[in-house]
Amino acid sequence: MFVSISTTGTAENPASDLGFLLHKHPDKVQRFATAHGTAHVFYPEAGEQACTAALLLEIDPTALLRQGRGKGRSGSPDLALAQYVNDRPYAASSLLAVALRTVYRSAMKGECAHRPELPGRALPLRIALPAVPVAGGDGPGLVERLFAPLGWQVDARPVPLDESFPEWGDSRYVRLELTGTLRLADALQHLYVLLPVLDGSKHYWVAPDEVDKLLAAGQGWLADHPERALIIRRYLSRRWSLTRLATERLALARLAEADDREAEEIDNAVPDVPDVPETADSADTADATTVTATAEEVNVTRSTGPTGPTGPITAVAETAGAAEGGRERGESLAAQRRTAILAALARTGAARVLDLGCGQGELVGALLKEPRVTEVLGVDVSSLALTIAARRLRLDRLPERQARRVKLVQGALTYTDARLKGYDAAVLCEVIEHLDLPRLPALEYAVFGAARPGAVVVTTPNAEYNVRWETLPAGHKRHDDHRFEWSRAEFAAWTEQVAADYGYTVELEPVGPVDPEVGAPTQLAHFRLAEPATTEPVVTTEPATTEPVVTTEPATTGPDAAGPAVTGTPSHDHAPEGSAHR
């Protein structure tokens, strides 16, 4: 098994700098032990004008057989004789990928202590592999689809089964030569991921930590690759659970990158508290000094802007105090909100409903109990929240007819999303206050302008009511992550402006016990699309750059499908930001 990496240079930038990048001296032949054999590194040429580093991997067939590999799904597809005769010692498979990572670990990380400027420099590279197995379909075509989008010029020539008998046709192997000007670290990462993808199998058991390896090696290129779904499925040996996890984490990373933040900052919709059953409204009986917010208070979409800590809720009194105020009805404030939202939706007759910022799915579950509702799409930026919601709603156990009524997808509400169009109504339950005010116009456009449902129900805290929470310190908000809390007048002004900008009418109503001086703890706005709706509103700000597709599931069509998908295919664009249109 053989791979060579070549480059050219000048007197100012000699090609022999490749030795510094690979951390292997051109004047030496070095050996490295691997789990299944020995890797040799040597330089057939090393000068100013040209330099080539070669890695020869000698596989011990006995060691391969002793470890139970080299057969079936983990090795050669020729099951009958695979334990005794297989291509693993000769073809560039996952064995070579692991050897590259072992031998060139520092180069793959982009590290060079002696010449720290070298790893960031793009080099004219040529990579040659004499035998690359390609599983399924058009071998050279698949190689082209995988490597060309990464900036490589691909020369993939099929290897005939027997040159003496051309009528026998081609084998599943190709002679591969890649040329391009790239960073060496990127080139090695491409090989590490795509060689096992081409082969379609691995010589070792694919454990959950393979997701971490894939995302680390694919950083900066996998998210935007047109064959992303195929790469993830094949790299993870078509294990559906791992494929879904990798896709969700990749989607989250893309959302975070779009907002110039870390993924951990936005996947914080679920606090580090014990999981509370769907039927438990603990706020009804909890003590105000110890109660934590119910799931609906905590699990909202942190879709934009830097988020605050996800630790203790500042005003835990909201749930306890609201429960006290609503004890006559026997409902917590969260339950009263859901009741008010369902009533507002019932007045519109909405059958297809969006729950934007669905969290752990409390409202989704309530909507599914309404016979009138035929479809519910829950959207949240947190993959963890969506996983908990799916478990709570028992989506994997629902009858097929019921399962068709609900989908849970990952997305950020400040980006237009084609999946959100065409619905009768949308709900933003305790969501808008988690956005920085400068980002709020982006949400307005994405929901009211682009998705444009027939009705929109918005709930948010009434800041005036905060004085009634005995345990809420003066000047504090009800939740650590709230960026603002509006008075009734401020909320009314915002709703009127949004309705005027996007062609809706709006009605306001209180939710929870109404205090004669400060109103109710929650305020609700019910928007309805004005008739006739002929054109979308004009927005004076320029749209920001288009974001790539974000999805939580790979497509499931074609021979490489890993299993049934939970979500559809989204399409995200930046909504206009700024406040010029307000």
Side-chain angles (χ1 to χ4, degrees):
M1 197 182 306
F2 181 84
V3 59
S4 66
I5 302 174
S6 303
T7 187
T8 57
T10 62
E12 294 77 17
N13 298 300
S16 55
D17 284 348
L18 183 64
F20 287 100
L21 285 168
L22 294 175
H23 295 260
K24 304 295 181 286
H25 198 287
D27 293 337
K28 298 180 181 178
V29 175
Q30 296 177 268
R31 296 183 180 181
F32 303 87
T34 70
H36 298 90
T38 304
H40 305 265
V41 176
F42 56 94
Y43 288 76
E45 58 179 343
E48 288 185 355
Q49 302 298 321
C51 183
T52 298
L55 187 150
L56 175 65
L57 181 61
E58 288 186 301
I59 296 297
D60 181 358
T62 304
L64 196 64
L65 179 60
R66 187 185 305 119
Q67 297 189 27
R69 304 306 184 201
K71 61 180 180 179
R73 178 176 174 179
S74 299
S76 172
D78 307 318
L79 299 180
L81 298 175
Q83 294 190 44
Y84 307 98
V85 180
N86 60 70
D87 64 357
R88 300 299 86 177
Y90 316 106
S93 62
S94 59
L95 288 162
L96 181 58
V98 171
L100 286 171
R101 187 167 183 262
T102 301
V103 176
Y104 296 143
R105 182 179 300 273
S106 296
M108 194 172 290
K109 292 180 179 179
E111 298 175 351
C112 183
H114 295 289
R115 299 281 300 278
E117 77 283 359
L118 287 181
R121 184 186 302 170
L123 303 176
L125 297 174
R126 180 174 61 85
I127 298 177
L129 298 112
V132 177
V134 183
D138 177 21
L142 179 57
V143 176
E144 180 81 21
R145 284 157 48 199
L146 293 181
F147 283 99
L150 301 175
W152 293 104
Q153 295 180 0
V154 181
D155 182 7
R157 302 180 184 182
V159 176
L161 286 171
D162 193 319
E163 294 180 353
S164 302
F165 299 93
E167 64 273 15
W168 289 4
D170 296 327
S171 68
R172 73 184 191 103
Y173 305 93
V174 299
R175 294 185 180 93
L176 177 59
E177 184 173 296
L178 303 171
T179 56
T181 303
L182 293 88
R183 295 171 60 247
L184 179 63
D186 295 335
L188 292 174
Q189 299 283 20
H190 298 165
L191 292 176
Y192 176 74
V193 172
L194 297 181
L195 288 180
V197 169
L198 287 169
D199 187 30
S201 63
K202 286 192 172 183
H203 68 282
Y204 57 89
W205 175 251
V206 177
D209 63 349
E210 289 297 293
V211 174
D212 297 325
K213 296 178 185 177
L214 172 62
L215 297 184
Q219 186 174 7
W221 61 270
L222 179 58
D224 298 327
H225 199 292
E227 298 292 341
R228 176 183 63 253
L230 180 144
I231 292 171
I232 293 174
R233 286 196 301 272
R234 285 198 172 197
Y235 184 88
L236 298 172
S237 298
R238 299 175 179 84
R239 291 190 62 188
W240 182 77
S241 60
L242 297 183
T243 299
R244 180 179 64 180
L245 175 61
T247 309
E248 289 176 348
R249 288 179 54 184
L250 190 61
L252 183 65
R254 298 170 73 204
L255 291 173
E257 183 179 2
D259 281 340
D260 193 22
R261 295 152 56 201
E262 296 296 329
E264 293 77 8
E265 290 184 73
I266 63 173
D267 194 10
N268 63 355
V270 180
D272 296 328
V273 296
D275 197 10
V276 181
E278 163 72 17
T279 57
D281 265 320
S282 57
D284 289 339
T285 57
D287 182 85
T289 60
T290 58
V291 68
T292 58
T294 60
E296 192 161 319
E297 262 61 48
V298 178
N299 298 315
V300 297
T301 298
R302 272 69 158 177
S303 56
T304 61
T307 58
T310 58
I313 306 302
T314 300
V316 295
E318 177 177 350
T319 49
E324 182 179 347
R327 201 174 298 282
E328 295 178 1
R329 301 177 56 187
E331 289 182 318
S332 69
L333 180 57
Q336 292 180 62
R337 267 197 294 265
R338 287 195 291 272
T339 300
I341 291 169
L342 293 174
L345 295 175
R347 292 195 295 271
T348 66
R352 303 178 68 239
V353 181
L354 296 166
D355 184 3
L356 304 177
C358 63
Q360 295 183 13
E362 291 85 356
L363 181 60
V364 173
L367 289 168
L368 291 176
K369 296 175 183 178
E370 297 288 320
R372 180 193 72 259
V373 177
T374 60
E375 182 180 348
V376 181
L377 179 65
V379 182
D380 203 288
V381 76
S382 170
S383 58
L384 178 57
L386 294 173
T387 299
I388 294 175
R391 185 174 70 245
R392 286 186 166 189
L393 296 170
R394 296 179 173 85
L395 295 187
D396 57 339
R397 300 181 186 178
L398 288 179
E400 182 178 354
R401 183 177 178 182
Q402 283 287 86
R404 286 199 299 265
R405 296 176 63 204
V406 59
K407 291 181 182 178
L408 301 177
V409 300
Q410 188 177 33
L413 302 184
T414 50
Y415 301 94
T416 60
D417 191 336
R419 296 173 298 180
L420 308 186
K421 294 183 178 180
Y423 282 81
D424 301 326
V427 178
L428 290 160
C429 179
E430 307 299 288
V431 170
I432 61 172
E433 63 272 11
H434 291 268
L435 277 68
D436 289 318
L437 280 172
R439 303 300 299 270
L440 194 56
L443 177 142
E444 296 167 13
Y445 177 78
V447 176
F448 294 91
R452 205 161 181 77
V456 181
V457 180
V458 180
T459 71
T460 192
N462 171 19
E464 296 172 74
Y465 197 90
N466 289 351
V467 297
R468 295 295 185 257
W469 306 123
E470 295 181 359
T471 57
L472 178 61
H476 283 247
K477 298 180 178 64
R478 301 186 195 180
H479 190 288
D480 288 342
D481 193 49
H482 284 186
R483 302 318 169 93
F484 62 87
E485 289 177 357
W486 276 332
S487 67
R488 287 171 291 174
E490 290 171 324
F491 184 57
W494 176 77
T495 59
E496 290 172 4
Q497 185 65 55
V498 170
D501 285 347
Y502 294 99
Y504 284 78
T505 61
V506 62
E507 297 177 1
L508 302 179
E509 63 181 81
V511 178
V514 178
D515 185 284
E517 295 181 1
V518 296
T522 295
Q523 40 195 343
L524 181 147
H526 188 186
F527 296 86
R528 296 194 188 190
L529 192 60
E531 296 294 343
T534 56
T535 58
E536 292 191 3
V538 176
V539 181
T540 59
T541 53
E542 290 294 328
T545 56
T546 300
E547 283 298 311
V549 170
V550 176
T551 179
T552 61
E553 289 293 341
T556 55
T557 58
D560 294 302
V566 176
T567 70
T569 302
S571 178
H572 280 174
D573 297 318
H574 264 298
E577 297 193 28
S579 57
H581 72 286
R582 291 190 55 199

